[in-house]
Coordinates of all heavy atoms in Angstrom, one line a residue:
M1 N -31.1 -7.4 -4.4 CA -31.1 -5.9 -4.3 C -29.7 -5.5 -4.7 O -28.7 -6.1 -4.3 CB -31.4 -5.4 -2.9 CG -31.8 -4.0 -2.9 SD -32.6 -3.5 -1.4 CE -31.3 -2.8 -0.5
K2 N -29.6 -4.4 -5.5 CA -28.3 -3.9 -5.9 C -27.5 -3.3 -4.8 O -28.0 -2.5 -4.0 CB -28.5 -2.9 -7.0 CG -27.2 -2.7 -7.8 CD -27.6 -1.7 -9.0 CE -26.2 -1.3 -9.6 NZ -26.4 -0.2 -10.5
D3 N -26.2 -3.6 -4.7 CA -25.3 -3.1 -3.6 C -24.7 -1.8 -4.1 O -23.9 -1.7 -5.0 CB -24.2 -4.1 -3.3 CG -23.4 -3.6 -2.1 OD1 -23.6 -2.4 -1.7 OD2 -22.5 -4.3 -1.7
N4 N -25.2 -0.6 -3.6 CA -24.7 0.7 -4.0 C -23.5 1.2 -3.1 O -23.0 2.3 -3.3 CB -25.8 1.7 -4.0 CG -26.8 1.4 -5.1 OD1 -26.4 1.0 -6.2 ND2 -28.0 1.7 -4.8
N5 N -23.1 0.4 -2.2 CA -22.1 0.8 -1.3 C -20.9 -0.2 -1.1 O -20.5 -0.6 -0.1 CB -22.7 1.1 0.1 CG -21.7 1.9 1.0 OD1 -20.8 2.5 0.5 ND2 -21.9 1.8 2.3
K6 N -20.4 -0.6 -2.3 CA -19.4 -1.6 -2.3 C -18.1 -1.1 -1.6 O -17.5 -1.9 -0.9 CB -19.0 -2.0 -3.8 CG -20.0 -2.9 -4.4 CD -19.6 -3.5 -5.7 CE -20.6 -4.4 -6.2 NZ -20.6 -4.6 -7.6
K7 N -17.7 0.2 -1.8 CA -16.5 0.7 -1.1 C -16.7 0.6 0.4 O -15.7 0.2 1.0 CB -16.3 2.1 -1.6 CG -15.1 2.7 -0.8 CD -14.2 3.6 -1.6 CE -13.1 4.2 -0.8 NZ -12.8 3.7 0.5
G8 N -17.8 1.0 0.9 CA -18.1 0.9 2.3 C -18.0 -0.6 2.8 O -17.4 -0.8 3.8
N9 N -18.5 -1.5 2.0 CA -18.4 -2.9 2.4 C -17.0 -3.4 2.4 O -16.6 -4.1 3.3 CB -19.2 -3.8 1.4 CG -20.7 -3.6 1.6 OD1 -21.1 -3.1 2.6 ND2 -21.5 -4.0 0.6
I10 N -16.2 -3.0 1.4 CA -14.8 -3.4 1.4 C -14.0 -2.8 2.6 O -13.3 -3.5 3.3 CB -14.1 -3.0 0.1 CG1 -14.7 -3.8 -1.1 CG2 -12.6 -3.1 0.1 CD1 -14.3 -3.3 -2.4
D11 N -14.3 -1.5 2.9 CA -13.6 -0.9 4.0 C -14.0 -1.6 5.3 O -13.1 -1.8 6.2 CB -14.0 0.6 4.1 CG -13.3 1.4 3.1 OD1 -12.3 0.9 2.5 OD2 -13.7 2.6 2.9
N12 N -15.2 -2.0 5.4 CA -15.6 -2.8 6.6 C -14.9 -4.1 6.8 O -14.5 -4.5 7.8 CB -17.1 -3.0 6.6 CG -17.9 -1.8 6.9 OD1 -17.4 -0.8 7.4 ND2 -19.2 -1.8 6.6
K13 N -14.7 -4.8 5.6 CA -14.0 -6.0 5.6 C -12.5 -5.9 6.0 O -12.0 -6.7 6.7 CB -14.2 -6.8 4.3 CG -15.6 -7.3 4.2 CD -15.8 -8.2 3.0 CE -17.2 -8.8 3.0 NZ -17.6 -9.4 1.8
L14 N -11.9 -4.8 5.4 CA -10.5 -4.6 5.7 C -10.3 -4.3 7.2 O -9.3 -4.6 7.8 CB -10.0 -3.3 4.9 CG -9.9 -3.6 3.4 CD1 -9.4 -2.3 2.7 CD2 -8.9 -4.7 3.1
F15 N -11.3 -3.7 7.8 CA -11.3 -3.3 9.2 C -11.2 -4.5 10.1 O -10.7 -4.5 11.2 CB -12.5 -2.5 9.5 CG -12.5 -1.9 10.9 CD1 -11.6 -0.9 11.2 CD2 -13.4 -2.3 11.9 CE1 -11.5 -0.4 12.5 CE2 -13.3 -1.8 13.2 CZ -12.4 -0.8 13.5
M16 N -11.7 -5.7 9.5 CA -11.6 -6.9 10.3 C -10.3 -7.6 10.4 O -10.0 -8.5 11.2 CB -12.6 -7.9 9.7 CG -14.1 -7.5 9.9 SD -15.2 -8.6 9.0 CE -14.8 -10.1 9.8
N17 N -9.4 -7.2 9.5 CA -8.1 -7.8 9.4 C -7.2 -7.5 10.7 O -7.4 -6.4 11.3 CB -7.3 -7.4 8.2 CG -8.0 -8.0 6.9 OD1 -8.6 -9.0 6.9 ND2 -8.1 -7.2 5.9
N18 N -6.3 -8.3 10.9 CA -5.3 -8.1 12.0 C -3.9 -7.8 11.5 O -3.5 -8.4 10.5 CB -5.2 -9.4 12.8 CG -5.9 -9.3 14.1 OD1 -6.4 -8.3 14.5 ND2 -5.9 -10.4 14.9
Y19 N -3.3 -6.8 12.1 CA -1.9 -6.5 11.6 C -0.9 -6.7 12.8 O -1.2 -6.3 13.9 CB -1.8 -5.1 11.2 CG -2.7 -4.7 10.0 CD1 -4.0 -4.3 10.1 CD2 -2.2 -4.7 8.7 CE1 -4.8 -4.0 9.0 CE2 -2.9 -4.4 7.6 CZ -4.3 -4.0 7.8 OH -5.0 -3.7 6.7
K20 N 0.2 -7.3 12.4 CA 1.3 -7.3 13.4 C 2.4 -6.4 12.7 O 3.0 -6.8 11.8 CB 1.8 -8.7 13.7 CG 2.8 -8.6 14.9 CD 3.2 -10.0 15.4 CE 4.2 -9.8 16.4 NZ 4.9 -11.1 16.7
V21 N 2.5 -5.2 13.2 CA 3.3 -4.2 12.5 C 4.8 -4.3 12.9 O 5.1 -4.3 14.1 CB 2.8 -2.8 12.8 CG1 3.7 -1.7 12.1 CG2 1.4 -2.6 12.3
D22 N 5.6 -4.4 11.9 CA 7.1 -4.5 12.1 C 7.6 -3.0 12.3 O 7.0 -2.1 11.8 CB 7.7 -5.1 10.9 CG 9.1 -5.6 11.1 OD1 9.7 -5.3 12.2 OD2 9.7 -6.3 10.3
S23 N 8.7 -2.9 13.0 CA 9.3 -1.5 13.1 C 10.0 -1.2 11.8 O 10.3 0.0 11.6 CB 10.2 -1.5 14.3 OG 11.2 -2.5 14.1
M24 N 10.3 -2.2 11.0 CA 11.0 -1.9 9.7 C 10.0 -2.0 8.5 O 9.2 -3.0 8.5 CB 12.0 -3.0 9.5 CG 13.4 -2.6 9.5 SD 14.5 -4.1 9.5 CE 14.1 -4.8 7.9
S25 N 10.1 -1.1 7.6 CA 9.2 -1.1 6.4 C 9.6 -2.2 5.5 O 10.8 -2.4 5.2 CB 9.2 0.2 5.7 OG 8.4 0.1 4.5
H26 N 8.6 -2.9 4.9 CA 9.0 -3.9 3.9 C 8.8 -3.3 2.5 O 9.0 -4.0 1.5 CB 8.1 -5.2 4.0 CG 6.6 -4.9 3.9 ND1 5.9 -4.2 4.8 CD2 5.7 -5.2 2.9 CE1 4.6 -4.1 4.5 NE2 4.5 -4.7 3.3
L27 N 8.4 -2.0 2.4 CA 8.3 -1.3 1.2 C 9.2 -0.1 1.2 O 9.1 0.7 2.1 CB 6.8 -0.9 1.0 CG 5.7 -1.9 1.2 CD1 4.4 -1.3 1.3 CD2 5.8 -2.9 0.0
T28 N 10.0 0.0 0.2 CA 10.9 1.2 0.1 C 10.9 1.8 -1.2 O 11.0 1.1 -2.3 CB 12.4 0.7 0.5 OG1 12.3 -0.1 1.7 CG2 13.3 1.9 0.7
I29 N 10.8 3.1 -1.3 CA 11.0 3.8 -2.5 C 12.5 3.8 -2.9 O 13.3 4.3 -2.0 CB 10.5 5.3 -2.4 CG1 9.0 5.3 -2.1 CG2 10.7 6.1 -3.7 CD1 8.1 4.7 -3.1
K30 N 12.8 3.4 -4.1 CA 14.2 3.3 -4.4 C 14.8 4.7 -4.6 O 15.9 5.0 -4.1 CB 14.4 2.5 -5.7 CG 14.0 1.0 -5.6 CD 14.2 0.3 -6.9 CE 13.7 -1.1 -6.9 NZ 13.7 -1.7 -8.2
D31 N 14.1 5.6 -5.3 CA 14.6 6.9 -5.6 C 13.5 8.0 -5.7 O 12.7 7.9 -6.6 CB 15.4 6.8 -6.9 CG 16.1 8.1 -7.3 OD1 15.9 9.1 -6.6 OD2 16.8 8.1 -8.3
Q32 N 13.5 8.8 -4.7 CA 12.4 9.8 -4.6 C 12.4 10.8 -5.8 O 11.4 11.3 -6.2 CB 12.5 10.6 -3.3 CG 12.0 9.8 -2.1 CD 10.5 9.7 -1.9 OE1 9.7 10.3 -2.7 NE2 10.1 8.9 -1.0
A33 N 13.6 11.0 -6.4 CA 13.7 11.9 -7.5 C 12.9 11.3 -8.7 O 12.4 12.0 -9.5 CB 15.2 12.0 -7.9
V34 N 12.9 10.0 -8.8 CA 12.1 9.3 -9.9 C 10.6 9.6 -9.6 O 9.9 9.9 -10.6 CB 12.4 7.8 -9.9 CG1 11.5 7.1 -10.9 CG2 13.9 7.6 -10.3
C35 N 10.2 9.5 -8.4 CA 8.8 9.8 -8.1 C 8.4 11.2 -8.4 O 7.3 11.5 -8.9 CB 8.5 9.5 -6.6 SG 8.7 7.8 -6.1
E36 N 9.3 12.1 -8.2 CA 9.0 13.5 -8.4 C 8.7 13.7 -9.9 O 7.8 14.5 -10.2 CB 10.3 14.3 -8.0 CG 9.9 15.7 -7.7 CD 11.2 16.5 -7.2 OE1 12.0 15.9 -6.5 OE2 11.3 17.7 -7.5
K37 N 9.4 13.0 -10.8 CA 9.1 13.1 -12.2 C 8.0 12.2 -12.7 O 7.6 12.3 -13.9 CB 10.4 12.8 -12.9 CG 11.5 13.9 -12.7 CD 12.8 13.6 -13.5 CE 13.9 14.4 -13.1 NZ 15.2 13.7 -13.0
C38 N 7.6 11.3 -11.9 CA 6.5 10.3 -12.3 C 5.2 11.1 -12.5 O 4.7 11.7 -11.6 CB 6.4 9.3 -11.2 SG 5.1 8.1 -11.5
E39 N 4.7 11.0 -13.7 CA 3.5 11.8 -14.1 C 2.2 11.3 -13.3 O 1.5 12.1 -12.7 CB 3.2 11.7 -15.6 CG 4.0 12.8 -16.3 CD 3.6 12.9 -17.7 OE1 2.4 12.6 -18.1 OE2 4.4 13.4 -18.5
D40 N 1.9 10.0 -13.4 CA 0.6 9.6 -12.9 C 0.7 9.3 -11.4 O -0.4 9.3 -10.8 CB 0.2 8.3 -13.6 CG -0.1 8.6 -15.1 OD1 -0.3 9.8 -15.4 OD2 0.0 7.7 -15.9
K41 N 1.8 9.0 -10.9 CA 1.9 8.6 -9.4 C 0.9 7.5 -9.2 O 0.1 7.6 -8.2 CB 1.8 9.8 -8.5 CG 3.0 10.8 -8.7 CD 3.0 11.9 -7.8 CE 4.1 12.9 -7.9 NZ 4.7 13.1 -9.3
S42 N 0.9 6.5 -10.0 CA -0.2 5.5 -10.0 C -0.2 4.7 -8.6 O -1.3 4.3 -8.2 CB 0.0 4.5 -11.1 OG 1.3 4.0 -11.1
C43 N 0.9 4.7 -7.9 CA 0.8 4.0 -6.6 C -0.2 4.7 -5.6 O -0.8 4.0 -4.8 CB 2.2 4.0 -6.0 SG 2.9 5.6 -5.7
T44 N -0.3 6.0 -5.8 CA -1.2 6.7 -4.9 C -2.7 6.5 -5.2 O -3.6 6.8 -4.4 CB -1.0 8.2 -4.9 OG1 -1.3 8.7 -6.2 CG2 0.5 8.6 -4.6
I45 N -2.9 5.9 -6.4 CA -4.3 5.7 -6.9 C -4.7 4.3 -6.7 O -5.8 4.0 -6.3 CB -4.4 6.1 -8.4 CG1 -4.1 7.6 -8.5 CG2 -5.8 5.8 -8.9 CD1 -3.8 8.0 -10.0
L46 N -3.8 3.4 -7.0 CA -4.3 2.0 -7.1 C -4.2 1.2 -5.8 O -4.9 0.2 -5.7 CB -3.4 1.2 -8.2 CG -2.0 1.0 -7.9 CD1 -1.7 -0.3 -7.1 CD2 -1.2 1.0 -9.2
C47 N -3.4 1.6 -4.8 CA -3.3 0.8 -3.6 C -4.6 0.8 -2.8 O -5.1 1.8 -2.4 CB -2.2 1.4 -2.7 SG -2.1 0.6 -1.1
P48 N -5.2 -0.4 -2.6 CA -6.5 -0.5 -1.9 C -6.4 0.0 -0.5 O -7.4 0.3 0.2 CB -6.9 -1.9 -2.0 CG -5.6 -2.7 -2.3 CD -4.7 -1.7 -3.0
A49 N -5.2 0.0 0.1 CA -5.0 0.4 1.5 C -4.5 1.8 1.7 O -4.1 2.2 2.8 CB -4.1 -0.6 2.2
H50 N -4.4 2.5 0.6 CA -3.9 3.9 0.6 C -2.6 4.1 1.3 O -2.4 4.9 2.1 CB -4.9 4.8 1.3 CG -6.3 4.6 0.8 ND1 -6.7 4.9 -0.5 CD2 -7.4 4.1 1.4 CE1 -8.0 4.6 -0.6 NE2 -8.4 4.0 0.5
V51 N -1.6 3.2 1.0 CA -0.3 3.2 1.6 C 0.5 4.3 1.1 O 1.3 4.9 1.9 CB 0.4 1.8 1.3 CG1 1.9 1.9 1.6 CG2 -0.3 0.7 2.1
Y52 N 0.4 4.7 -0.2 CA 1.2 5.8 -0.7 C 0.5 7.1 -0.8 O -0.6 7.2 -1.2 CB 1.7 5.3 -2.2 CG 2.4 4.0 -2.2 CD1 1.8 2.8 -2.5 CD2 3.8 4.0 -1.9 CE1 2.4 1.6 -2.4 CE2 4.5 2.8 -1.9 CZ 3.8 1.6 -2.2 OH 4.5 0.4 -2.2
E53 N 1.2 8.1 -0.4 CA 0.7 9.5 -0.5 C 1.8 10.4 -0.9 O 2.9 10.4 -0.5 CB 0.2 9.9 0.9 CG -0.5 11.2 1.0 CD -0.9 11.6 2.4 OE1 -0.5 10.9 3.3 OE2 -1.5 12.7 2.5
W54 N 1.4 11.3 -1.9 CA 2.3 12.3 -2.3 C 2.2 13.5 -1.4 O 1.1 14.2 -1.3 CB 2.0 12.7 -3.8 CG 2.9 13.8 -4.3 CD1 2.5 15.1 -4.6 CD2 4.3 13.7 -4.6 NE1 3.6 15.8 -5.1 CE2 4.7 15.0 -5.1 CE3 5.2 12.7 -4.5 CZ2 6.0 15.2 -5.5 CZ3 6.5 12.9 -4.9 CH2 6.9 14.2 -5.4
K55 N 3.2 13.8 -0.6 CA 3.1 14.8 0.4 C 4.5 15.5 0.6 O 5.5 14.8 0.6 CB 2.7 14.2 1.8 CG 2.2 15.1 2.8 CD 1.7 14.4 4.0 CE 1.4 15.3 5.1 NZ 1.2 14.6 6.4
D56 N 4.5 16.8 0.7 CA 5.7 17.5 0.9 C 6.8 17.2 -0.2 O 7.9 16.9 0.1 CB 6.3 17.3 2.3 CG 5.4 17.8 3.4 OD1 4.6 18.8 3.1 OD2 5.4 17.2 4.5
E57 N 6.3 17.0 -1.4 CA 7.2 16.8 -2.6 C 7.9 15.4 -2.5 O 9.0 15.2 -3.0 CB 8.2 17.9 -2.7 CG 7.7 19.3 -2.9 CD 6.8 19.4 -4.1 OE1 7.3 19.1 -5.2 OE2 5.6 19.8 -4.0
Q58 N 7.3 14.5 -1.8 CA 7.8 13.1 -1.8 C 6.7 12.1 -1.6 O 5.6 12.4 -1.1 CB 8.9 12.9 -0.8 CG 8.5 13.2 0.6 CD 9.6 12.9 1.6 OE1 10.4 12.0 1.5 NE2 9.6 13.7 2.7
I59 N 7.0 10.9 -1.9 CA 6.0 9.8 -1.7 C 6.2 9.3 -0.2 O 7.3 8.9 0.2 CB 6.2 8.6 -2.6 CG1 5.8 9.0 -4.1 CG2 5.5 7.4 -2.2 CD1 4.3 9.1 -4.3
M60 N 5.2 9.4 0.5 CA 5.2 8.8 1.9 C 4.6 7.4 1.8 O 3.7 7.1 1.1 CB 4.3 9.7 2.8 CG 4.5 11.2 2.8 SD 6.2 11.6 3.3 CE 6.0 11.4 5.1
V61 N 5.2 6.5 2.6 CA 4.8 5.1 2.6 C 4.3 4.6 4.0 O 5.1 4.5 4.9 CB 6.0 4.2 2.1 CG1 5.5 2.7 2.0 CG2 6.6 4.7 0.8
S62 N 3.0 4.5 4.1 CA 2.5 4.0 5.3 C 2.4 2.5 5.3 O 1.3 1.9 5.1 CB 1.1 4.6 5.6 OG 1.2 6.0 5.6
Y63 N 3.5 1.8 5.4 CA 3.6 0.4 5.1 C 2.7 -0.4 6.1 O 2.4 -1.6 5.9 CB 5.0 -0.1 5.2 CG 5.6 0.0 6.6 CD1 5.6 -1.1 7.4 CD2 6.2 1.2 7.1 CE1 6.1 -1.1 8.7 CE2 6.7 1.2 8.4 CZ 6.7 0.1 9.2 OH 7.2 0.2 10.4
E64 N 2.4 0.2 7.2 CA 1.7 -0.5 8.3 C 0.4 -1.1 7.8 O -0.1 -2.1 8.4 CB 1.4 0.4 9.5 CG 2.7 1.0 10.1 CD 3.1 2.3 9.5 OE1 2.7 2.6 8.3 OE2 3.8 3.1 10.1
G65 N -0.3 -0.5 6.9 CA -1.6 -0.9 6.4 C -1.6 -1.8 5.2 O -2.6 -2.1 4.6
C66 N -0.4 -2.2 4.7 CA -0.3 -2.9 3.5 C -1.0 -4.3 3.6 O -0.9 -5.0 4.5 CB 1.2 -3.1 3.2 SG 1.5 -4.1 1.7
L67 N -1.7 -4.6 2.5 CA -2.4 -5.9 2.4 C -1.6 -6.9 1.7 O -2.1 -8.1 1.5 CB -3.7 -5.6 1.6 CG -4.6 -4.6 2.1 CD1 -5.7 -4.3 1.1 CD2 -5.2 -5.0 3.5
E68 N -0.4 -6.6 1.3 CA 0.5 -7.6 0.6 C 0.0 -8.1 -0.7 O 0.2 -9.3 -1.0 CB 0.9 -8.7 1.6 CG 1.6 -8.1 2.8 CD 1.7 -9.2 4.0 OE1 1.9 -10.4 3.7 OE2 1.7 -8.8 5.1
C69 N -0.8 -7.3 -1.4 CA -1.4 -7.8 -2.6 C -0.4 -7.7 -3.8 O -0.6 -8.4 -4.8 CB -2.6 -7.0 -3.0 SG -2.3 -5.2 -3.5
G70 N 0.6 -6.9 -3.7 CA 1.7 -6.9 -4.8 C 1.3 -5.9 -5.9 O 2.1 -5.8 -6.9
A71 N 0.2 -5.3 -5.9 CA -0.2 -4.5 -7.1 C 0.7 -3.3 -7.3 O 1.1 -3.1 -8.5 CB -1.6 -3.9 -6.8
C72 N 1.2 -2.7 -6.3 CA 2.1 -1.5 -6.5 C 3.4 -1.9 -7.2 O 4.0 -1.2 -8.0 CB 2.3 -0.8 -5.2 SG 3.0 -1.9 -3.9
R73 N 3.8 -3.1 -6.9 CA 5.1 -3.6 -7.4 C 5.0 -3.8 -8.9 O 5.9 -3.5 -9.7 CB 5.3 -5.0 -6.8 CG 6.5 -5.7 -7.2 CD 6.5 -7.1 -6.7 NE 7.8 -7.7 -6.5 CZ 8.1 -8.8 -5.9 NH1 7.1 -9.5 -5.4 NH2 9.3 -9.2 -5.8
I74 N 3.8 -4.2 -9.4 CA 3.6 -4.4 -10.8 C 3.3 -3.1 -11.5 O 3.7 -2.8 -12.6 CB 2.5 -5.4 -11.0 CG1 2.9 -6.8 -10.5 CG2 2.1 -5.5 -12.5 CD1 1.7 -7.7 -10.3
A75 N 2.5 -2.2 -10.8 CA 2.0 -1.0 -11.4 C 3.0 0.1 -11.5 O 2.8 1.0 -12.4 CB 0.7 -0.6 -10.7
C76 N 4.0 0.2 -10.7 CA 4.9 1.3 -10.8 C 5.6 1.3 -12.1 O 6.3 0.3 -12.4 CB 5.9 1.2 -9.6 SG 7.2 2.5 -9.8
P77 N 5.4 2.3 -13.0 CA 5.9 2.3 -14.3 C 7.5 2.4 -14.3 O 8.1 2.2 -15.4 CB 5.3 3.5 -15.0 CG 4.9 4.4 -13.9 CD 4.6 3.5 -12.7
H78 N 8.1 2.7 -13.2 CA 9.5 2.9 -13.2 C 10.2 1.9 -12.3 O 11.4 2.1 -12.0 CB 9.8 4.4 -12.7 CG 9.1 5.4 -13.5 ND1 9.5 5.8 -14.7 CD2 8.0 6.2 -13.2 CE1 8.8 6.7 -15.2 NE2 7.8 7.0 -14.3
D79 N 9.5 0.9 -11.9 CA 10.1 -0.2 -11.1 C 10.9 0.5 -9.9 O 12.0 0.2 -9.6 CB 11.0 -1.0 -11.9 CG 11.6 -2.2 -11.1 OD1 10.9 -2.7 -10.2 OD2 12.6 -2.7 -11.4
N80 N 10.2 1.4 -9.2 CA 10.8 2.2 -8.2 C 10.5 1.8 -6.8 O 10.7 2.6 -5.9 CB 10.5 3.7 -8.5 CG 11.4 4.6 -7.8 OD1 12.6 4.3 -7.6 ND2 10.9 5.8 -7.4
I81 N 9.8 0.7 -6.7 CA 9.5 0.2 -5.3 C 10.2 -1.0 -5.0 O 10.1 -2.0 -5.7 CB 8.0 0.0 -5.2 CG1 7.2 1.3 -5.4 CG2 7.6 -0.6 -3.8 CD1 5.7 1.1 -5.6
D82 N 11.0 -1.0 -3.9 CA 11.7 -2.2 -3.5 C 10.7 -2.9 -2.6 O 10.4 -2.5 -1.5 CB 12.9 -1.8 -2.7 CG 13.7 -3.0 -2.2 OD1 13.5 -4.1 -2.7 OD2 14.6 -2.9 -1.4
W83 N 10.1 -4.0 -3.1 CA 9.0 -4.7 -2.5 C 9.4 -6.0 -1.9 O 10.0 -6.8 -2.6 CB 7.9 -4.9 -3.6 CG 6.5 -5.2 -3.1 CD1 5.5 -4.4 -3.0 CD2 6.0 -6.5 -2.6 NE1 4.4 -5.0 -2.5 CE2 4.7 -6.3 -2.2 CE3 6.6 -7.7 -2.4 CZ2 3.9 -7.3 -1.7 CZ3 5.8 -8.7 -1.8 CH2 4.5 -8.5 -1.5
N84 N 9.1 -6.2 -0.7 CA 9.4 -7.4 0.0 C 8.2 -7.8 0.9 O 7.4 -6.9 1.2 CB 10.6 -7.3 0.9 CG 11.8 -7.0 0.2 OD1 12.4 -7.9 -0.5 ND2 12.2 -5.7 0.2
F85 N 8.0 -9.1 1.2 CA 7.1 -9.5 2.2 C 7.6 -9.0 3.5 O 8.8 -8.9 3.7 CB 6.9 -11.0 2.2 CG 6.0 -11.5 1.1 CD1 6.5 -12.2 0.0 CD2 4.6 -11.2 1.1 CE1 5.6 -12.6 -1.0 CE2 3.8 -11.6 0.1 CZ 4.3 -12.3 -0.9
P86 N 6.7 -8.7 4.5 CA 7.2 -8.4 5.8 C 8.0 -9.6 6.4 O 7.9 -10.7 5.9 CB 5.9 -8.2 6.6 CG 4.8 -7.9 5.6 CD 5.2 -8.7 4.4
R87 N 8.8 -9.3 7.4 CA 9.6 -10.3 8.0 C 8.7 -11.3 8.6 O 7.5 -11.0 8.9 CB 10.5 -9.7 9.1 CG 11.6 -8.8 8.5 CD 12.6 -8.4 9.5 NE 12.0 -7.6 10.6 CZ 12.7 -7.2 11.7 NH1 13.9 -7.6 11.8 NH2 12.1 -6.5 12.6
G88 N 9.2 -12.5 8.9 CA 8.4 -13.6 9.4 C 7.7 -13.2 10.7 O 8.2 -12.6 11.6
G89 N 6.4 -13.5 10.7 CA 5.6 -13.2 11.9 C 4.9 -11.8 11.9 O 4.0 -11.5 12.7
Y90 N 5.4 -11.0 10.9 CA 4.8 -9.7 10.8 C 3.9 -9.6 9.6 O 3.9 -10.4 8.7 CB 5.9 -8.6 10.7 CG 6.7 -8.5 12.0 CD1 8.0 -9.0 12.1 CD2 6.2 -7.7 13.0 CE1 8.7 -8.9 13.2 CE2 7.0 -7.6 14.2 CZ 8.2 -8.2 14.3 OH 9.0 -8.0 15.4
G91 N 3.1 -8.5 9.6 CA 2.2 -8.2 8.4 C 0.8 -8.5 8.7 O 0.3 -8.5 9.9
I92 N 0.0 -8.7 7.7 CA -1.4 -8.9 7.8 C -1.8 -10.3 8.0 O -1.2 -11.2 7.5 CB -2.1 -8.3 6.5 CG1 -3.6 -8.2 6.8 CG2 -1.8 -9.1 5.3 CD1 -4.3 -7.3 5.8
Q93 N -2.9 -10.4 8.8 CA -3.5 -11.7 9.0 C -5.0 -11.5 8.6 O -5.7 -10.7 9.2 CB -3.4 -12.1 10.5 CG -3.9 -13.5 10.7 CD -3.8 -13.8 12.2 OE1 -4.3 -13.0 13.1 NE2 -3.2 -14.9 12.6
F94 N -5.4 -12.2 7.5 CA -6.7 -12.0 7.0 C -7.7 -12.7 7.8 O -7.5 -13.9 8.1 CB -6.8 -12.4 5.5 CG -6.0 -11.5 4.6 CD1 -4.8 -11.8 4.1 CD2 -6.6 -10.3 4.2 CE1 -4.1 -11.0 3.3 CE2 -5.9 -9.4 3.3 CZ -4.6 -9.8 2.9
R95 N -8.9 -12.1 8.0 CA -10.0 -12.8 8.6 C -11.1 -12.8 7.6 O -11.5 -11.8 7.1 CB -10.5 -12.0 9.8 CG -9.6 -12.2 11.0 CD -10.3 -11.7 12.2 NE -9.3 -11.6 13.3 CZ -9.6 -11.0 14.4 NH1 -10.7 -10.4 14.6 NH2 -8.7 -10.9 15.4
L96 N -11.6 -14.0 7.3 CA -12.6 -14.1 6.3 C -14.0 -14.0 6.9 O -14.3 -14.5 7.9 CB -12.5 -15.5 5.5 CG -11.2 -15.7 4.9 CD1 -11.1 -17.1 4.3 CD2 -10.9 -14.7 3.8
A97 N -14.8 -13.2 6.2 CA -16.2 -13.0 6.7 C -17.2 -13.7 5.8 O -17.0 -13.9 4.7 CB -16.5 -11.5 6.7
Ligands
SF4_1 S1 4.3 5.0 -9.3 FE1 6.4 4.5 -8.8 S2 7.7 6.2 -9.6 FE2 5.5 6.8 -9.6 S3 5.3 7.9 -7.7 FE3 4.7 5.8 -7.3 S4 6.5 4.7 -6.6 FE4 7.2 6.7 -7.5
SF4_2 S1 1.2 -4.5 -1.8 FE1 -0.9 -3.8 -2.3 S2 -1.7 -3.1 -0.3 FE2 0.5 -3.2 -0.1 S3 1.2 -1.2 -0.7 FE3 1.3 -2.4 -2.6 S4 -0.7 -2.0 -3.5 FE4 -0.9 -1.3 -1.4

């Protein structure tokens, strides 16, 4: 049978993951002025965890939900994200279903 609710299924699987949230963000916008001029703001579209949001004329970074996939690091057309893995012991722990 065809699966018509793939997004729902992915969200359910993401919900199963465990996060140990650091108090320090491992993702930093280098220069908000660059984001302001960025036409597509692709980070707000491509991140599967919806980490980036354009709000109050700046990019907000909800690093707590990051899946550490690295897509935003590659996709930002201005290389404007200082991307690091979370510090040791922090970040996501995947649970396979
Ligand atoms: S894609 Fe890069 S430059 Fe554009 S809004 Fe996102 S972080 Fe800023
Ligand atoms: S690494 Fe992946 S999940 Fe984390 S912010 Fe970037 S695109 Fe989103």
